[in-house]
Amino acid sequence: MAHPASPFLSVLILMLVAAVTAVAILVLSGWLLPMLKPNNPKEAKMRPYECGVPPIQTGARHKYSVKFYLTAMLFILFDVEAAFLLPWAVNFKAALWTFGAMLSFMATLLVGFIYAWGKGAFEWER
């Protein structure tokens, strides 16, 4: 008769392999890499690199326009819409009763989209 924990043996082995790999990466990066990398810090190497141009920000207190935050919130809104649409579309034929729920969800998103469009949220220059 098999031991009751035998179905979980593969999970235990996977966890042990993951733990050993994590410890090995930490030890090697803390011990081996300092011996291999050159120690010659120069001003150009210590400066932040932004696509080959001088850094735009002059400090940590740089203020961004509200347009960036608004664009990020709209992206999250419509990204969540796509995340809800995919599983529903895959399972649509098996559960036809969900069509009404998805119609109400899409109608709510359409109202939000029309509202954002009317407020000019999609225009960069005003």
Side-chain angles (χ1 to χ4, degrees):
M1 186 160 156
H3 192 271
S6 62
F8 301 106
L9 185 61
S10 60
V11 175
L12 178 66
I13 291 171
L14 179 66
M15 291 176 70
L16 286 174
V17 168
V20 168
T21 303
V23 168
I25 289 172
L26 287 172
V27 167
L28 288 175
S29 68
W31 172 69
L32 187 63
L33 285 180
M35 292 190 305
L36 296 176
K37 72 175 185 176
N39 188 11
N40 56 352
K42 295 188 167 110
E43 182 184 346
K45 287 185 177 182
M46 303 310 259
R47 212 173 334 142
Y49 179 74
E50 293 185 6
C51 300
V53 297
I56 296 171
Q57 288 185 351
T58 56
R61 301 285 181 211
H62 181 73
K63 293 183 180 178
Y64 288 101
S65 174
V66 176
K67 293 184 288 187
F68 294 111
Y69 298 111
L70 184 61
T71 304
M73 288 190 311
L74 288 171
F75 172 76
I76 290 172
L77 171 76
F78 294 113
D79 188 46
V80 168
E81 172 193 357
F84 281 140
L85 272 176
L86 183 65
W88 173 79
V90 168
N91 200 22
F92 176 66
K93 287 186 180 179
L96 290 173
W97 59 271
T98 61
F99 187 70
M102 187 52 67
L103 274 180
S104 69
F105 176 69
M106 292 300 291
T108 305
L109 281 174
L110 183 64
V111 168
F113 179 77
I114 291 171
Y115 177 76
W117 193 358
K119 288 292 186 177
F122 300 115
E123 298 173 11
W124 282 102
E125 299 295 329
R126 291 188 194 183

